[in-house]
């Protein structure tokens, strides 16, 4: 049975869009324009790989490379390691969705456009359930953070670091460490013009001996700080935010103190008691 180029492209675009969107959503990095561009490029690759002179592009070893390229587009990665991990997440999501769809189509006695669409939706639902389960398992290790200070706002992902024992000296509160670029909108004007060792009004300093060096970091207490463990934003425990100059090692943008992960467990237990 022959299939037109347009139909083949559209079919691959829809499947790529579903897989990439669900994986990006599970990573908290959905940008629909980027998802559409990545899906279109993936579909174009599938069409080109069918040309007799370019069949080698459809080799198995090419799939990880294409997936890494798509991850770099849709996830806005900032390191090769992040691109590789995102690429394999997209590749695994596509294989999972396609396999689930194939098994679902076998339940239809007369395969056709409707059977294909329904099985694709079944595969998407299964992939969403699988990524949701993964997020629940990872929820105590990575959180989304929203904070406001000085009339600005910042949104970012933070890795919960059990080794982060920093405390603001006067208050004794734990400290979240975040890259300076992520906090650009909440830092006061002229922050970058400060001399080493200087802190803006309202800021304090905390010493550190990790992240590949030693020194002192300027820190501030946000006016509002919310954290999302995968089920919506909640008020975070009281803490300070330290401004880390430059890039953190390993592609991490922020390190949250252990109390943030413990707070999620306590809130879960309170919710269960309420429901009970």
């Amino acid at each position: 049975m022959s299939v037109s180029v347009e139909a083949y492209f559209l079919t691959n675009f829809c499947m790529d869009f579903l897989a990439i969107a669900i994986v990006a959503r599970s990573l908290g990095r959905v940008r629909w324009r980027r998802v559409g561009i990545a899906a279109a490029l993936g579909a174009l690759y599938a069409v080109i790989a069918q040309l007799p002179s370019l069949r080698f592009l459809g080799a198995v070893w090419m799939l990880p490379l294409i997936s890494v390229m798509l991850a770099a587009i849709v996830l806005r990665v900032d390191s090769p390691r992040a691109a590789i991990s995102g690429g394999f997440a997209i590749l695994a999501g596509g294989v999972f969705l396609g396999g689930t769809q194939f098994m679902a189509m076998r339940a239809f006695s007369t395969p056709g456009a409707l059977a294909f669409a329904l099985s694709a939706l079944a595969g998407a639902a299964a992939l969403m359930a699988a990524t949701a389960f993964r997020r629940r398992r990872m929820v105590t290790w990575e959180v989304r953070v929203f904070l406001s200070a000085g009339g600005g706002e910042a949104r970012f992902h933070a890795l919960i670091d059990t080794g982060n024992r920093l405390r603001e000296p006067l208050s004794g509160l734990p400290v979240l460490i975040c890259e300076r670029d992520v906090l650009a909108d909440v830092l006061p004007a002229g922050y970058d013009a400060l001399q080493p060792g200087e802190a803006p009004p309202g800021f304090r300093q905390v010493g550190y001996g990790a992240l590949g060096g030693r020194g002192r970091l300027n820190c501030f207490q946000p006016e509002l700080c919310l954290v999302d463990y995968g089920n919506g934003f909640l008020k975070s425990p009281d803490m300070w935010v330290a401004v880390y100059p430059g890039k953190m090692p390993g592609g991490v943008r922020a390190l949250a103190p252990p109390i943030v992960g413990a707070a999620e467990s306590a809130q879960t237990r309170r919710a269960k008691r309420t429901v009970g």
Side-chain angles (χ1 to χ4, degrees):
M1 182 181 69
S2 61
V3 179
S4 68
V5 174
E6 294 81 2
Y8 189 75
F9 176 87
L10 182 60
T11 299
N12 280 275
F13 174 81
C14 292
M15 296 301 296
D16 288 347
F17 188 91
L18 284 174
I20 293 172
I22 293 171
V23 171
R25 178 179 178 273
S26 73
L27 299 174
R29 302 177 187 178
V30 179
R31 298 292 184 275
W32 293 111
R33 182 179 179 183
R34 289 176 174 269
V35 170
I37 293 173
L41 290 176
L44 181 62
Y45 158 75
V47 172
I48 293 176
Q50 295 302 311
L51 298 177
S53 59
L54 298 176
R55 286 289 176 89
F56 68 92
L57 292 176
V60 174
W61 62 268
M62 282 292 298
L63 297 179
L65 298 179
I66 299 299
S67 298
V68 169
M69 180 193 72
L70 298 182
I73 294 172
V74 74
L75 301 179
R76 295 195 298 180
V77 296
D78 54 8
S79 69
R81 180 179 178 181
I84 292 172
S85 62
F88 276 96
I90 289 177
L91 178 59
V95 171
F96 183 92
L97 191 154
T100 305
Q101 181 194 19
F102 175 78
M103 290 187 293
M105 285 194 67
R106 299 183 65 179
F108 295 93
S109 56
T110 55
L114 179 59
F116 180 87
L118 292 176
S119 59
L121 292 178
L127 180 58
M128 289 184 66
T131 55
F133 175 74
R134 176 187 176 276
R135 289 185 66 184
R136 285 195 294 272
R137 291 188 60 190
M138 296 294 291
V139 75
T140 57
W141 299 108
E142 186 179 62
V143 294
R144 287 196 303 159
V145 180
F146 167 85
L147 61 85
S148 62
E153 298 178 351
R155 299 172 184 267
F156 53 90
H157 285 76
L159 182 70
I160 296 178
D161 180 15
T162 56
N164 179 3
R165 303 296 179 181
L166 286 183
R167 296 271 176 175
E168 197 283 317
L170 298 181
S171 65
L173 292 174
V175 177
L176 180 149
I177 308 172
C178 187
E179 288 183 358
R180 179 254 176 268
D181 289 346
V182 177
L183 301 171
D185 290 340
V186 302
L187 296 177
Y191 182 87
D192 292 333
L194 294 172
Q195 297 298 317
E198 290 185 347
F203 279 58
R204 297 176 185 172
Q205 291 194 330
V206 58
Y208 75 103
L211 297 172
R214 290 180 177 275
R216 300 188 68 82
L217 300 175
N218 291 332
C219 61
F220 64 96
Q221 191 167 27
E223 299 162 2
L224 175 66
C225 185
L226 306 175
V227 291
D228 177 16
Y229 304 99
N231 298 309
F233 281 99
L234 300 169
K235 189 177 186 302
S236 76
D238 291 336
M239 59 186 176
W240 286 66
V241 178
V243 184
Y244 184 83
K247 289 280 188 180
M248 288 186 178
V252 177
R253 307 302 300 275
L255 294 176
I259 191 174
V260 174
E264 190 273 340
S265 300
Q267 288 163 348
T268 301
R269 288 194 299 269
R270 286 197 298 269
K272 288 182 178 178
R273 286 199 296 269
T274 302
V275 173

